[in-house]
Amino acid sequence: MQARQLMAASLGLVAFLALAGYALDRAFVDVAGQVQRDRLKAYAYNYVGGVEFFRNGDIFVPEVPPDPRFDQPGSGLYAVIVLADGQQSWQSMSTRGPQLPDAELLAPNQEEFRGPLPIVKTNGEPGEVFRYGIGAAAVQDSSSEVEIERPYTVYVMEDEGTLARQVRVYRTALWGYLGVAGVVLLLLQTFVLRWSLWPLRNVVSELKRVQRGQANRMSEHHPRELQPLTDSINALVESERENLDHQRNTMSDLAHSLKTPLAVLRTRLDNGASEAELREEVDIQVRRMNDLVGYQLGRAASAGHKLFAAPVAIEPHAEQIVRGLEKIYAGKGVICEFEIDEGVQFYGELGDLQELLGNLLENAFKWAKSRVLLTAGPGASQPNRRPGLVLVVDDDGPGIPEDRIAYVLQRGVRGDERVQGHGIGLSIVQDLVRSYRGELSVGPSQELGGARFQVTLPPGL
C-alpha cells in the first residue's frame, strides 16, 4: 500500500512539475517577446523624436544613439530610416556587414512588428532578426510659408539570438530549480507518507504480536480513524477467547460430571448386585446423566459468535416459538401478545435470539395464568454503532419475590420443585446476555401483575 501510494504521489508530483515548468516556460517566452517588442519600440520612438529634415531635403539623425550597439558594426542591433522614395536614406553603423531584409514605407502612426525575418550575417552565415517599424512624418525647413511634410519610417531590428539566449538561460535555470525542488519534494513526500502510515504499521505489528501470543489484545493508543478497527479486533479476540474457554469448560465439566455416575455403575457391577438392583441403579444414573447432558448442552448453547452478525428480525421467530408453546400449554389457554416496534432487530446469532426468546417465553408460559406480553424496542444508540435492544417479557403469574430473584437465576434452581424442568433456562439467558455485554433484570410486572424479565443489550460494533 505504501509503495502504491508513493508511486501515485510521485507520478502526480512529476506531472505537476512538468506542467508547471511548461506553463512557466511559455509565459516567459511570451513575456520576453513582448519585452523585446517594447524595447525595439522604445528605440524607434527615440529616433523618431530626433529626426529632422533640412531645406535641401537631407535628413538629420542625432549622433548619440539610444544604445551604443547601434554604433558597432554587426552588433546585432540595427536601425534603418526609409523615406518616401523607397530608398534607405539612413542606416546605423551597426548595419555595415550584414544583409538586412528589405523595408517599405509605413503610413504615419502605423506600427509593425515582425519576425523572425531572414538575414545574412557579416560572416556569411544565415541568421534571423525581429523587426519593429513605425511610420512618421516631419516638417521640412523651407523659406516659403508653405510647410512641407516628409513621411518616413523608422525600423529597429535585433538578432533573434538575443531572445534565444535569454530563453535558453531561463530554461536552464528553471528546469534546474524544478529538478532540485522535485527531488526535495519526493524525499519530503516519502518521509510524510512513512510518518502518516506509521500508526497503520503499528497496528500490523501489534496484530502480529497478538497472533504470536506475545500480547493478549491491541493497545488503546491509536489514532481516532483506526480506533474502530482496533476495537473490532479486540472484541473479536476477546469473543474468540471467551468462546474457546467456554467450549473447553463445557467439555471439561461434562466429562467431570459423567465420571461420578459411571463410577457408581462400575462399582455396582463389580459388587455383584442383583438384576433388580442394577436395573434400579441404571435407571437412576441414566436419569442423572440425562440431566447433566441437558445442563451442559444448555450451557454450550450460549457460546455463539456474536460479532459482525447480520440483523435478525424478532417478530417472525417469536411467533414461531409462541405457536409451539401454545400447543404445549394448550390446557392453560395462555394468550401471548406482541408489542414490537417497527424496524427493531436483533444483531447477533439466530440461535442466540431463539434461546433468549424460547427460555423467557417458556418460563412465562409456565407460570402465567392467561396472558403473556412480549415487548421489543430500541435501546441506547451511539454514532457509527449498531443500535441497542430492549426485550421485555411480562406474565400475569404469581411473580417472584424480590428476595428469591437471585436464587431463581442460579443454574439448576427451579422456582417450584413441583414444576418439571432442569432449572437452567434462566441461567442460559443470563449467560447469553452476559456474552453480549448486556443486563438481565427481574422484577414485578406493572402491566400484568406477574413477573417481568427485561433484557437490555448495549450498542454493538
Side-chain angles (χ1 to χ4, degrees):
M1 185 171 63
Q2 177 177 318
R4 288 196 297 269
Q5 291 185 2
L6 184 60
M7 180 177 296
S10 300
L11 290 177
L13 177 61
V14 171
F16 170 77
L17 291 177
L19 291 175
Y22 176 77
L24 291 174
D25 180 82
R26 297 311 308 166
F28 178 82
V29 171
D30 293 341
V31 170
Q34 184 63 37
V35 169
Q36 184 182 44
R37 181 183 184 279
D38 293 341
R39 185 174 61 255
L40 297 182
K41 180 178 179 180
Y43 291 153
Y45 270 88
N46 188 278
Y47 276 110
V48 169
V51 169
E52 294 181 5
F53 285 92
F54 297 111
R55 293 180 180 181
N56 61 0
D58 293 340
I59 186 171
F60 169 78
V61 178
E63 296 182 358
V64 180
D67 191 300
R69 289 180 294 171
F70 285 109
D71 288 338
Q72 301 174 9
S75 65
L77 187 61
Y78 317 106
V80 175
I81 297 179
V82 178
L83 298 180
D85 55 5
Q87 299 296 320
Q88 296 179 349
S89 62
W90 180 86
Q91 295 180 347
S92 64
M93 293 287 294
S94 58
T95 62
R96 296 179 182 179
Q99 298 180 14
L100 301 177
D102 296 335
E104 60 184 11
L105 185 69
L106 300 178
N109 297 323
Q110 180 183 355
E111 298 183 36
E112 176 190 83
F113 182 75
R114 297 177 61 186
L117 301 176
I119 66 169
V120 178
K121 296 182 179 181
T122 304
N123 57 9
E125 296 181 357
E128 293 178 332
V129 294
F130 288 94
R131 185 177 70 180
Y132 176 83
I134 181 171
V139 178
Q140 179 179 338
D141 289 342
S142 174
S143 58
S144 64
E145 296 181 356
V146 179
E147 295 183 349
I148 302 175
E149 286 191 350
R150 297 290 302 273
Y152 65 96
T153 300
V154 176
Y155 285 101
V156 178
M157 291 163 278
E158 187 175 31
D159 283 344
E160 185 271 341
T162 303
L163 178 61
R165 283 192 299 270
Q166 294 176 350
V167 172
R168 185 165 55 251
V169 171
Y170 174 78
R171 285 175 176 172
T172 301
L174 172 66
W175 294 111
Y177 289 134
L178 285 179
V180 173
V183 172
V184 173
L185 289 176
L186 284 175
L187 293 176
L188 181 61
Q189 178 179 268
T190 303
F191 171 77
V192 171
L193 185 60
R194 289 183 61 85
W195 175 76
S196 61
L197 291 179
W198 178 82
L200 191 58
R201 290 197 299 273
N202 190 31
V203 169
V204 174
S205 177
E206 288 190 9
L207 184 58
K208 288 181 179 180
R209 295 182 69 243
V210 173
Q211 291 173 339
R212 295 168 184 167
Q214 299 173 347
N216 293 327
R217 65 198 311 276
M218 307 287 290
S219 68
E220 303 295 334
H221 307 291
H222 293 287
R224 183 176 61 254
E225 295 81 1
L226 296 178
Q227 200 66 43
L229 174 63
T230 56
D231 289 346
S232 298
I233 293 176
N234 283 333
L236 179 61
V237 170
E238 292 173 3
S239 176
E240 290 300 324
R241 187 177 292 116
E242 290 175 1
N243 291 335
L244 180 59
D245 293 341
H246 194 99
Q247 297 295 335
R248 288 174 177 173
N249 294 336
T250 300
M251 297 304 296
S252 177
D253 292 349
L254 180 60
H256 185 271
S257 300
L258 294 177
K259 185 169 61 175
T260 300
L262 292 174
V264 172
L265 292 176
R266 182 76 264 175
T267 302
R268 298 293 286 175
L269 286 173
D270 293 342
N271 291 340
S274 64
E275 183 177 349
E277 292 175 338
L278 284 175
R279 184 181 295 275
E280 181 182 0
E281 190 65 44
V282 167
D283 181 63
I284 294 173
Q285 298 302 328
V286 167
R287 279 190 285 109
R288 183 180 179 187
M289 285 189 288
N290 182 62
D291 291 341
L292 291 172
V293 170
Y295 169 82
Q296 297 297 347
L297 288 178
R299 185 180 180 187
S302 66
H305 185 67
K306 276 75 67 177
L307 291 177
F308 317 119
V312 180
I314 297 175
E315 188 169 0
H317 299 287
E319 291 178 348
Q320 182 181 6
I321 293 172
V322 169
R323 282 196 298 268
L325 292 173
E326 287 176 345
K327 294 178 182 178
I328 297 175
Y329 296 94
K332 298 180 65 175
V334 178
I335 297 176
C336 182
E337 303 175 21
F338 291 165
E339 290 185 3
I340 301 177
D341 292 353
E342 184 178 357
V344 174
Q345 296 176 308
F346 173 78
Y347 288 86
E349 300 292 338
L350 175 59
D352 292 344
L353 176 63
Q354 292 174 337
E355 283 292 333
L356 282 173
L357 295 177
N359 284 291
L360 291 175
L361 290 172
E362 182 180 7
N363 182 74
F365 267 80
K366 187 183 299 182
W367 295 99
K369 296 176 182 178
S370 61
R371 292 183 62 195
V372 173
L373 174 62
L374 170 64
T375 305
S381 62
Q382 294 182 9
N384 302 321
R385 289 180 177 264
R386 303 180 308 190
L389 175 66
V390 177
L391 288 173
V392 181
V393 177
D394 295 275
D395 64 68
D396 61 350
I400 305 174
E402 186 176 352
D403 58 349
R404 286 184 57 83
I405 292 176
Y407 175 74
V408 170
L409 293 178
Q410 294 179 11
R411 185 178 294 274
V413 174
R414 288 178 286 176
D416 190 339
E417 296 297 332
R418 295 171 295 178
V419 179
Q420 185 180 5
H422 294 288
I424 63 173
L426 295 180
S427 180
I428 292 175
V429 172
Q430 273 199 118
D431 291 343
L432 277 171
V433 172
R434 190 180 298 113
S435 68
Y436 280 87
R437 296 170 177 79
E439 295 181 357
L440 171 64
S441 58
V442 182
S445 173
Q446 300 296 327
E447 296 189 25
L448 302 184
R452 161 173 281 206
F453 290 83
Q454 178 173 314
V455 173
T456 304
L457 301 182
L461 293 173

